[in-house]
Each structure stands twice: as structure tokens, then as C-alpha cells.
Amino acid sequence: MTKRNSYINLTKNVGILTLGSFGSKLLSYFLLPLYTSYLSTAEYGSYDLLSATINFIIPLLTVNAAASLMRFSLDKDTDPSNVITTGFFIVLKGLAVFLCFVIINRAFGLFDIVNQYLLYFVLLYILSVSSQILGSIAKGLEDLTGMAINGVVHTLFLLLLNILFLVQLDMKLDGYFLANIISLVISSLYLVLRLRIWNYISFQSFSYSTEKKMLKYGGPLIATSIGWWINNMSDRYVITWLCGIGANGVYSVAYKIPSILMTLQSIFNQAWQISTVGEYNKNDSNGFFSNIYNLFNMLNVLGCSVFIVLTKVFARLLFAKEFYTAWQYAPFLMISVVFGSLIGVIDGIFQAVKDSKIQSKSVAFGAIVNLVLNIAFVYLWGPIGAAVSTAIAYFVTWIISFINVKKYIVLKIKIKKHMWSYIILLIQSIDFVFGGSDITRYIVQICFVLVLILLYAGEIRSIIDVVTKQKSKNLISD
């Protein structure tokens, strides 16, 4: 495939996912003022804790079947029915283990919060697994349009059901649970029907050899999943332990501001995962991987800087009542998003060569750093310590991933320039959170943005030149 086609295919996939995801994610931000108005910090914190627990156990019990399904389905010489049927059998075995855990917990009262919301917990687990598996199948079959529509369907029903249960019926946390559960049922049914999933599942298609390959690929990713869970979720448990469930509710809301950047990152990464499999070559002879990395880094850094300036504006729009104080945690969390996006680009290369072990080691090491720093920093500084420790952990994970990826590909990265940009982001975040008056803060903050624009002026000019030339070609052809 030519260099031009490589960029065209990646851009096309990003475009499709953006059209579907942007509308759905935009709707989700309208829900945030609803949650913070109708739920207490303790209620929001309880849901967040259960959701975090489900996100932790899914990759363990399914042995990352979702990741294996997508990766093996992308291989052109693979029988989709064989991979999908085998994946479902792996998931069913995990479900049996999950139900055993629920029964034991019910009998011995190991985790009170699980027993308190037991039915919701079970339904959320089953539906979350189903949603992940169906989404991975859609990606593996390269039905990105279906994925995009599914995102809109899920969020639209989530919006309508939350308005019904929280505003009209005033059902509080029960309504929040039901809205999430029913919207997952509807979106999962949509994918089942669109993909005609029944055509891919049969007992005859199950293969022990395929199961062995999928488990071999997904097994090491358990460490990766645990590592990411620790990086993303352990701070909630530490904050709940040291500061209380209400503080966790406020801190959890703080993620909603950087999640705007995370949405754009996830859209790109989904398209990138598909491109890396077909485009990979060790020497990166056409510069495709290097160019994408440098460009994506620049966009994330500039986006992060602008979002830091707008943090309190977003907080005013999205957070109600006592949730507003969450703004102070967002700048450091946004720095972690920048490194998370770069790790995602590198992970696409590890996925292309099917090396899940090297990926898991870097994430596991970063998770250990995060857990240790979480306990120390939250004890010393409260919830803001968790945000700082998360940023440091993501930076450590990125460093290790960046070093390890050189084993598989030659990347021409402008590392010195990038490092300077990260230092500027750090200083900007510290100034925004601990700086002086609002007027002084915003003048200084805008200066930080301008410095970063000057730092990447050459790259910005190159993008403008490419866009201008493309427009000129279109006008001539017309």
C-alpha cells in the first residue's frame, strides 16, 4: 500500500468513528450537570466504585477476550466464525467464575457494597462484557460504521432514560443504574442484529487450538489490564479509604474534563489499531508511523494546554454544587491523558507484532509506581495527590514503552522538542492550580499556550501547507 493510501485509510476510519462518537460523547456531557444535580457525592462515588470494580474483573475473567477477538479477526487468513465462537466460549467460562464469586460474596459478606447493589452489579457485569465483545467483533470485521452508530444509540438512550429516571421519577441512584443497564441492553441488541452474530456462532466452529492462541495472546494482557486499572482506578479506592466516599465522588467527576481529550484519543486509537496491522514494517520506510506519532503528540500537547486554560470554564458548565471543586484535579489528569495517548500509539505497534508481553511489563511497572505514590501523596495532600501520582505513572509507562518499541520499529521522533513541551505543560498545570488571582493566572496561562505554538510552529506550518496544496488540487480538478 502506498504512503498516500496509508494516510487516506487512517483518516477515513478516524472520520467515520468521529461522526459517530462526537455526537454521542457530546450528549454525554449534557448528562454531567444532570448527575451532579440529582445525585449526591456519596451516590456518585458508590456507582463509580462498582463500575471500577467491574472494569477490573472483566479482563481477568475473560482473559482479555475482547482484545484477542479484535486482533485475530483482523488477520485476513482467519475464519471469523472460528475466532468469534471460541471467544464466546472463553467469555462463558469467565461468567461461570463470576457467578461463583457472587454466590460466595453473598454468603460470607466479603464486600458489602456489592451485596447492597447485587442485582445491578451482576447485570452491569454481563452487559459490559457483552458490549466490549460485540464492539471488538465489529472492529475485527472492520464495521466501523456500525460501531459509530452503536455509540450514538447507546448515548441517546442513556440521555433519555436518565431524564426519565432522575428528573421525572426522581429515582436517585436506582435510576442511574437502570439508565445505564437498559441503554447497554439496547445498544448490544443493535450490534447483535447488525452483525448478524448468530451466523458466526456454532459448536462446530469452536477450536481448542484457536482458544490456546487467543489465551496466549490475551493472558499477558491481564497484567496490562490490571496495570491500566491501577493507573486509572486505584486512586478512587485510595481516596475512599483515606478521604471518604464523598471525596471520591468529587474526584471521579474531575475526570470528565480530561475525558473530552480522551474521547478524541480513543477515536484515533480505534482507527490506529486497524491501520497498524496492515501498515507495519520494521524500518518504517515511508515514515508513516513516525509522522503519525509526531503529529499526534503535537495535537495532544496543544489540546492539553488549551484545556488547562479552560478548566474552570468547563467546571462551571458541567459541575453543580459541591462538585465544582473538582476543577483543581483536572490539569494533572490531562497531562496523564497526553502520555496515555502516546502509549496508545506505541501499543498499536505491539499489537501489530502480537507481542502482548512487552506491553504488559511497561504498564505493570507504571501501575506499581502509581499505587505507591497514590498512597503516599493522597495521605500527604489529599485527592490532588492522586492526580499528581497518576500523571507521574503515565509518564513512567510512556518512557518504558518508548524504549521497548525500538525493538520492533525505527521511529524518527523529535524527542528533545517533545520533552520541552511536557515540561511546559507541567509548569502550566502547577501555575493554574496554585497560582495567584484569576486575571493574572489567565494572562500567564495564555502565554504558555503561545510558547507551545511557537515550539511547534514548523509542524503547524507543514500541516497548513499540506491542507493548502490539497485545496489547490481540488480547485484545479474542479
Side-chain angles (χ1 to χ4, degrees), residues 326-360:
W327 70 265
Q328 61 193 306
Y329 314 134
F332 296 108
L333 292 174
M334 279 189 279
I335 291 178
S336 70
V337 171
V338 171
F339 292 114
S341 67
L342 299 178
I343 294 165
V345 175
I346 295 171
D347 281 353
I349 299 169
F350 291 142
Q351 174 193 271
V353 297
K354 291 183 179 177
D355 188 343
S356 53
K357 292 180 181 179
I358 196 168
Q359 180 182 0
S360 65

